[in-house]
mmCIF file of all heavy atoms in Angstrom:
data_model
loop_
_atom_site.group_PDB
_atom_site.id
_atom_site.type_symbol
_atom_site.label_atom_id
_atom_site.label_comp_id
_atom_site.label_asym_id
_atom_site.label_seq_id
_atom_site.Cartn_x
_atom_site.Cartn_y
_atom_site.Cartn_z
ATOM 1 N N ALA A 789 -61.943 134.548 77.555
ATOM 2 C CA ALA A 789 -63.160 134.712 76.744
ATOM 3 C C ALA A 789 -62.842 135.430 75.443
ATOM 4 O O ALA A 789 -63.324 135.049 74.365
ATOM 5 C CB ALA A 789 -64.218 135.470 77.541
ATOM 6 N N HIS A 790 -62.023 136.464 75.527
ATOM 7 C CA HIS A 790 -61.672 137.226 74.327
ATOM 8 C C HIS A 790 -60.899 136.366 73.338
ATOM 9 O O HIS A 790 -61.126 136.437 72.120
ATOM 10 C CB HIS A 790 -60.853 138.450 74.718
ATOM 11 C CG HIS A 790 -60.535 139.347 73.567
ATOM 12 N ND1 HIS A 790 -59.285 139.435 72.990
ATOM 13 C CD2 HIS A 790 -61.333 140.193 72.856
ATOM 14 C CE1 HIS A 790 -59.316 140.289 71.994
ATOM 15 N NE2 HIS A 790 -60.542 140.774 71.889
ATOM 16 N N ARG A 791 -59.986 135.532 73.829
ATOM 17 C CA ARG A 791 -59.220 134.646 72.933
ATOM 18 C C ARG A 791 -60.136 133.649 72.233
ATOM 19 O O ARG A 791 -59.844 133.225 71.109
ATOM 20 C CB ARG A 791 -58.137 133.914 73.726
ATOM 21 C CG ARG A 791 -56.944 134.797 74.110
ATOM 22 C CD ARG A 791 -55.776 133.961 74.581
ATOM 23 N NE ARG A 791 -56.059 133.275 75.831
ATOM 24 C CZ ARG A 791 -55.775 133.773 77.037
ATOM 25 N NH1 ARG A 791 -55.202 134.965 77.141
ATOM 26 N NH2 ARG A 791 -56.054 133.075 78.127
ATOM 27 N N ARG A 792 -61.248 133.291 72.874
ATOM 28 C CA ARG A 792 -62.193 132.355 72.251
ATOM 29 C C ARG A 792 -63.089 133.029 71.221
ATOM 30 O O ARG A 792 -63.886 132.375 70.559
ATOM 31 C CB ARG A 792 -63.079 131.707 73.319
ATOM 32 C CG ARG A 792 -62.392 130.700 74.204
ATOM 33 C CD ARG A 792 -63.413 129.858 74.977
ATOM 34 N NE ARG A 792 -64.279 130.631 75.844
ATOM 35 C CZ ARG A 792 -65.594 130.814 75.639
ATOM 36 N NH1 ARG A 792 -66.182 130.313 74.562
ATOM 37 N NH2 ARG A 792 -66.314 131.509 76.494
ATOM 38 N N GLY A 793 -62.983 134.349 71.111
ATOM 39 C CA GLY A 793 -63.819 135.062 70.148
ATOM 40 C C GLY A 793 -65.164 135.470 70.693
ATOM 41 O O GLY A 793 -66.084 135.793 69.925
ATOM 42 N N VAL A 794 -65.287 135.480 72.023
ATOM 43 C CA VAL A 794 -66.542 135.881 72.658
ATOM 44 C C VAL A 794 -66.755 137.388 72.471
ATOM 45 O O VAL A 794 -65.806 138.168 72.469
ATOM 46 C CB VAL A 794 -66.490 135.538 74.168
ATOM 47 C CG1 VAL A 794 -67.661 136.148 74.928
ATOM 48 C CG2 VAL A 794 -66.460 134.030 74.354
ATOM 49 N N LEU A 795 -67.997 137.800 72.318
ATOM 50 C CA LEU A 795 -68.323 139.217 72.273
ATOM 51 C C LEU A 795 -68.255 139.769 73.690
ATOM 52 O O LEU A 795 -68.967 139.301 74.595
ATOM 53 C CB LEU A 795 -69.723 139.436 71.695
ATOM 54 C CG LEU A 795 -70.231 140.895 71.688
ATOM 55 C CD1 LEU A 795 -69.345 141.764 70.810
ATOM 56 C CD2 LEU A 795 -71.688 140.957 71.224
ATOM 57 N N ILE A 796 -67.411 140.770 73.915
ATOM 58 C CA ILE A 796 -67.263 141.402 75.225
ATOM 59 C C ILE A 796 -67.968 142.749 75.189
ATOM 60 O O ILE A 796 -67.699 143.575 74.317
ATOM 61 C CB ILE A 796 -65.776 141.611 75.587
ATOM 62 C CG1 ILE A 796 -64.985 140.306 75.412
ATOM 63 C CG2 ILE A 796 -65.657 142.155 77.006
ATOM 64 C CD1 ILE A 796 -65.323 139.232 76.393
ATOM 65 N N VAL A 797 -68.851 142.984 76.153
ATOM 66 C CA VAL A 797 -69.670 144.204 76.168
ATOM 67 C C VAL A 797 -69.482 144.925 77.502
ATOM 68 O O VAL A 797 -69.672 144.336 78.569
ATOM 69 C CB VAL A 797 -71.167 143.876 75.970
ATOM 70 C CG1 VAL A 797 -71.993 145.161 75.936
ATOM 71 C CG2 VAL A 797 -71.369 143.062 74.702
ATOM 72 N N GLY A 798 -69.129 146.201 77.431
ATOM 73 C CA GLY A 798 -69.026 147.031 78.631
ATOM 74 C C GLY A 798 -70.074 148.114 78.595
ATOM 75 O O GLY A 798 -70.034 148.984 77.720
ATOM 76 N N LEU A 799 -71.031 148.073 79.510
ATOM 77 C CA LEU A 799 -72.072 149.091 79.578
ATOM 78 C C LEU A 799 -71.655 150.142 80.601
ATOM 79 O O LEU A 799 -71.231 149.815 81.707
ATOM 80 C CB LEU A 799 -73.411 148.477 79.992
ATOM 81 C CG LEU A 799 -73.916 147.299 79.150
ATOM 82 C CD1 LEU A 799 -75.255 146.798 79.699
ATOM 83 C CD2 LEU A 799 -74.053 147.684 77.679
ATOM 84 N N CYS A 800 -71.763 151.404 80.214
ATOM 85 C CA CYS A 800 -71.450 152.505 81.124
ATOM 86 C C CYS A 800 -70.020 152.352 81.664
ATOM 87 O O CYS A 800 -69.073 152.255 80.893
ATOM 88 C CB CYS A 800 -72.486 152.560 82.243
ATOM 89 S SG CYS A 800 -72.447 154.103 83.214
ATOM 90 N N LEU A 801 -69.852 152.263 82.978
ATOM 91 C CA LEU A 801 -68.516 152.166 83.568
ATOM 92 C C LEU A 801 -67.900 150.777 83.388
ATOM 93 O O LEU A 801 -66.731 150.574 83.737
ATOM 94 C CB LEU A 801 -68.569 152.528 85.058
ATOM 95 C CG LEU A 801 -69.061 153.943 85.372
ATOM 96 C CD1 LEU A 801 -69.005 154.199 86.874
ATOM 97 C CD2 LEU A 801 -68.254 154.998 84.620
ATOM 98 N N GLY A 802 -68.640 149.847 82.842
ATOM 99 C CA GLY A 802 -68.079 148.543 82.512
ATOM 100 C C GLY A 802 -66.930 148.651 81.528
ATOM 101 O O GLY A 802 -66.078 147.753 81.449
ATOM 102 N N THR A 803 -66.867 149.755 80.788
ATOM 103 C CA THR A 803 -65.752 150.001 79.882
ATOM 104 C C THR A 803 -64.426 150.001 80.637
ATOM 105 O O THR A 803 -63.403 149.550 80.123
ATOM 106 C CB THR A 803 -65.945 151.349 79.156
ATOM 107 O OG1 THR A 803 -67.174 151.327 78.431
ATOM 108 C CG2 THR A 803 -64.802 151.633 78.194
ATOM 109 N N PHE A 804 -64.442 150.505 81.876
ATOM 110 C CA PHE A 804 -63.212 150.552 82.672
ATOM 111 C C PHE A 804 -62.673 149.149 82.938
ATOM 112 O O PHE A 804 -61.461 148.938 82.970
ATOM 113 C CB PHE A 804 -63.464 151.275 83.994
ATOM 114 C CG PHE A 804 -63.481 152.771 83.886
ATOM 115 C CD1 PHE A 804 -64.604 153.438 83.426
ATOM 116 C CD2 PHE A 804 -62.372 153.520 84.246
ATOM 117 C CE1 PHE A 804 -64.623 154.826 83.333
ATOM 118 C CE2 PHE A 804 -62.377 154.911 84.158
ATOM 119 C CZ PHE A 804 -63.507 155.568 83.687
ATOM 120 N N ALA A 805 -63.562 148.194 83.160
ATOM 121 C CA ALA A 805 -63.122 146.826 83.418
ATOM 122 C C ALA A 805 -62.460 146.228 82.176
ATOM 123 O O ALA A 805 -61.408 145.580 82.261
ATOM 124 C CB ALA A 805 -64.300 145.959 83.857
ATOM 125 N N ILE A 806 -63.059 146.459 81.016
ATOM 126 C CA ILE A 806 -62.480 145.937 79.776
ATOM 127 C C ILE A 806 -61.131 146.590 79.518
ATOM 128 O O ILE A 806 -60.168 145.928 79.121
ATOM 129 C CB ILE A 806 -63.442 146.172 78.594
ATOM 130 C CG1 ILE A 806 -64.790 145.502 78.857
ATOM 131 C CG2 ILE A 806 -62.837 145.640 77.299
ATOM 132 C CD1 ILE A 806 -65.820 145.761 77.796
ATOM 133 N N ALA A 807 -61.050 147.900 79.768
ATOM 134 C CA ALA A 807 -59.777 148.595 79.601
ATOM 135 C C ALA A 807 -58.743 148.079 80.589
ATOM 136 O O ALA A 807 -57.556 147.931 80.251
ATOM 137 C CB ALA A 807 -59.976 150.100 79.797
ATOM 138 N N GLY A 808 -59.171 147.772 81.808
ATOM 139 C CA GLY A 808 -58.261 147.248 82.814
ATOM 140 C C GLY A 808 -57.685 145.905 82.454
ATOM 141 O O GLY A 808 -56.598 145.537 82.923
ATOM 142 N N ALA A 809 -58.389 145.167 81.611
ATOM 143 C CA ALA A 809 -57.889 143.877 81.137
ATOM 144 C C ALA A 809 -56.947 144.037 79.949
ATOM 145 O O ALA A 809 -56.403 143.054 79.445
ATOM 146 C CB ALA A 809 -59.059 142.966 80.758
ATOM 147 N N GLY A 810 -56.778 145.287 79.486
ATOM 148 C CA GLY A 810 -55.889 145.542 78.357
ATOM 149 C C GLY A 810 -56.499 145.257 77.007
ATOM 150 O O GLY A 810 -55.795 145.222 75.994
ATOM 151 N N LEU A 811 -57.825 145.109 76.952
ATOM 152 C CA LEU A 811 -58.476 144.711 75.703
ATOM 153 C C LEU A 811 -58.864 145.890 74.813
ATOM 154 O O LEU A 811 -59.313 145.683 73.682
ATOM 155 C CB LEU A 811 -59.726 143.874 76.009
ATOM 156 C CG LEU A 811 -59.458 142.519 76.677
ATOM 157 C CD1 LEU A 811 -60.766 141.818 77.002
ATOM 158 C CD2 LEU A 811 -58.611 141.639 75.754
ATOM 159 N N LEU A 812 -58.709 147.112 75.317
ATOM 160 C CA LEU A 812 -59.104 148.277 74.519
ATOM 161 C C LEU A 812 -57.918 149.065 73.987
ATOM 162 O O LEU A 812 -58.106 150.110 73.349
ATOM 163 C CB LEU A 812 -59.992 149.206 75.353
ATOM 164 C CG LEU A 812 -61.408 148.690 75.649
ATOM 165 C CD1 LEU A 812 -62.155 149.645 76.559
ATOM 166 C CD2 LEU A 812 -62.185 148.476 74.354
ATOM 167 N N ALA A 813 -56.714 148.601 74.214
ATOM 168 C CA ALA A 813 -55.525 149.303 73.732
ATOM 169 C C ALA A 813 -55.571 149.441 72.210
ATOM 170 O O ALA A 813 -55.754 148.454 71.494
ATOM 171 C CB ALA A 813 -54.265 148.555 74.148
ATOM 172 N N GLY A 814 -55.438 150.680 71.726
ATOM 173 C CA GLY A 814 -55.464 150.926 70.292
ATOM 174 C C GLY A 814 -56.840 150.869 69.669
ATOM 175 O O GLY A 814 -56.979 150.926 68.447
ATOM 176 N N ARG A 815 -57.870 150.775 70.504
ATOM 177 C CA ARG A 815 -59.239 150.664 69.999
ATOM 178 C C ARG A 815 -60.037 151.931 70.309
ATOM 179 O O ARG A 815 -59.612 152.793 71.070
ATOM 180 C CB ARG A 815 -59.953 149.472 70.628
ATOM 181 C CG ARG A 815 -59.491 148.101 70.130
ATOM 182 C CD ARG A 815 -60.252 147.030 70.874
ATOM 183 N NE ARG A 815 -59.969 145.689 70.413
ATOM 184 C CZ ARG A 815 -60.808 144.941 69.686
ATOM 185 N NH1 ARG A 815 -61.967 145.437 69.312
ATOM 186 N NH2 ARG A 815 -60.482 143.714 69.343
ATOM 187 N N GLU A 816 -61.236 151.972 69.733
ATOM 188 C CA GLU A 816 -62.175 153.058 70.006
ATOM 189 C C GLU A 816 -63.203 152.572 71.011
ATOM 190 O O GLU A 816 -63.640 151.409 70.963
ATOM 191 C CB GLU A 816 -62.857 153.501 68.718
ATOM 192 C CG GLU A 816 -63.738 154.727 68.863
ATOM 193 C CD GLU A 816 -64.286 155.214 67.528
ATOM 194 O OE1 GLU A 816 -63.594 155.032 66.509
ATOM 195 O OE2 GLU A 816 -65.393 155.783 67.517
ATOM 196 N N ALA A 817 -63.600 153.435 71.948
ATOM 197 C CA ALA A 817 -64.557 153.049 72.982
ATOM 198 C C ALA A 817 -65.276 154.287 73.488
ATOM 199 O O ALA A 817 -64.921 155.416 73.170
ATOM 200 C CB ALA A 817 -63.855 152.338 74.130
ATOM 201 N N THR A 818 -66.294 154.048 74.319
ATOM 202 C CA THR A 818 -66.988 155.141 74.981
ATOM 203 C C THR A 818 -67.372 154.701 76.374
ATOM 204 O O THR A 818 -67.253 153.525 76.738
ATOM 205 C CB THR A 818 -68.228 155.594 74.187
ATOM 206 O OG1 THR A 818 -68.706 156.839 74.712
ATOM 207 C CG2 THR A 818 -69.349 154.557 74.243
ATOM 208 N N THR A 819 -67.824 155.646 77.177
ATOM 209 C CA THR A 819 -68.335 155.388 78.519
ATOM 210 C C THR A 819 -69.207 156.580 78.904
ATOM 211 O O THR A 819 -69.458 157.461 78.071
ATOM 212 C CB THR A 819 -67.183 155.168 79.529
ATOM 213 O OG1 THR A 819 -67.739 154.706 80.768
ATOM 214 C CG2 THR A 819 -66.389 156.439 79.765
ATOM 215 N N HIS A 820 -69.670 156.613 80.135
ATOM 216 C CA HIS A 820 -70.475 157.741 80.599
ATOM 217 C C HIS A 820 -69.681 159.031 80.398
ATOM 218 O O HIS A 820 -68.504 159.109 80.748
ATOM 219 C CB HIS A 820 -70.808 157.553 82.078
ATOM 220 C CG HIS A 820 -71.818 158.519 82.611
ATOM 221 N ND1 HIS A 820 -71.573 159.875 82.707
ATOM 222 C CD2 HIS A 820 -73.075 158.329 83.092
ATOM 223 C CE1 HIS A 820 -72.628 160.479 83.219
ATOM 224 N NE2 HIS A 820 -73.559 159.558 83.464
ATOM 225 N N TRP A 821 -70.340 160.059 79.863
ATOM 226 C CA TRP A 821 -69.626 161.288 79.500
ATOM 227 C C TRP A 821 -68.878 161.918 80.675
ATOM 228 O O TRP A 821 -67.824 162.529 80.501
ATOM 229 C CB TRP A 821 -70.595 162.322 78.909
ATOM 230 C CG TRP A 821 -71.691 162.807 79.817
ATOM 231 C CD1 TRP A 821 -72.974 162.351 79.879
ATOM 232 C CD2 TRP A 821 -71.608 163.859 80.793
ATOM 233 N NE1 TRP A 821 -73.691 163.037 80.818
ATOM 234 C CE2 TRP A 821 -72.882 163.979 81.398
ATOM 235 C CE3 TRP A 821 -70.593 164.713 81.201
ATOM 236 C CZ2 TRP A 821 -73.159 164.901 82.393
ATOM 237 C CZ3 TRP A 821 -70.867 165.648 82.209
ATOM 238 C CH2 TRP A 821 -72.141 165.730 82.785
ATOM 239 N N ALA A 822 -69.385 161.744 81.902
ATOM 240 C CA ALA A 822 -68.736 162.361 83.057
ATOM 241 C C ALA A 822 -67.426 161.667 83.430
ATOM 242 O O ALA A 822 -66.662 162.193 84.240
ATOM 243 C CB ALA A 822 -69.687 162.340 84.260
ATOM 244 N N TYR A 823 -67.169 160.495 82.838
ATOM 245 C CA TYR A 823 -65.974 159.716 83.193
ATOM 246 C C TYR A 823 -65.012 159.543 82.022
ATOM 247 O O TYR A 823 -64.022 158.822 82.151
ATOM 248 C CB TYR A 823 -66.384 158.334 83.720
ATOM 249 C CG TYR A 823 -67.124 158.398 85.037
ATOM 250 C CD1 TYR A 823 -68.505 158.592 85.065
ATOM 251 C CD2 TYR A 823 -66.448 158.282 86.250
ATOM 252 C CE1 TYR A 823 -69.193 158.673 86.265
ATOM 253 C CE2 TYR A 823 -67.126 158.350 87.452
ATOM 254 C CZ TYR A 823 -68.494 158.544 87.460
ATOM 255 O OH TYR A 823 -69.174 158.619 88.652
ATOM 256 N N THR A 824 -65.286 160.193 80.894
ATOM 257 C CA THR A 824 -64.403 160.009 79.737
ATOM 258 C C THR A 824 -63.003 160.547 80.004
ATOM 259 O O THR A 824 -62.007 159.963 79.575
ATOM 260 C CB THR A 824 -64.992 160.696 78.493
ATOM 261 O OG1 THR A 824 -65.296 162.066 78.788
ATOM 262 C CG2 THR A 824 -66.258 159.989 78.039
ATOM 263 N N GLY A 825 -62.909 161.665 80.734
ATOM 264 C CA GLY A 825 -61.597 162.216 81.055
ATOM 265 C C GLY A 825 -60.783 161.275 81.922
ATOM 266 O O GLY A 825 -59.578 161.085 81.711
ATOM 267 N N GLN A 826 -61.440 160.662 82.905
ATOM 268 C CA GLN A 826 -60.749 159.717 83.785
ATOM 269 C C GLN A 826 -60.300 158.483 83.011
ATOM 270 O O GLN A 826 -59.193 157.979 83.210
ATOM 271 C CB GLN A 826 -61.674 159.314 84.936
ATOM 272 C CG GLN A 826 -61.005 158.448 85.998
ATOM 273 C CD GLN A 826 -61.940 158.171 87.173
ATOM 274 O OE1 GLN A 826 -63.092 158.595 87.183
ATOM 275 N NE2 GLN A 826 -61.444 157.461 88.172
ATOM 276 N N LEU A 827 -61.162 157.999 82.125
ATOM 277 C CA LEU A 827 -60.796 156.840 81.311
ATOM 278 C C LEU A 827 -59.604 157.154 80.417
ATOM 279 O O LEU A 827 -58.675 156.341 80.286
ATOM 280 C CB LEU A 827 -61.993 156.400 80.458
ATOM 281 C CG LEU A 827 -61.774 155.180 79.563
ATOM 282 C CD1 LEU A 827 -61.470 153.939 80.394
ATOM 283 C CD2 LEU A 827 -63.003 154.941 78.669
#
C-alpha cells in the first residue's frame, strides 16, 4: 500500500504497527503519551 502512495494512518497504538513495518524509520511520529517510551 505504501509503495502505491496510499495514505497510511496509525491512530493511538496503531503507530506501533506502522513502525513494525519499517515505515517510520527516520520519520517523525506520535502515539499515546503513556507508550512513547516503549515506542
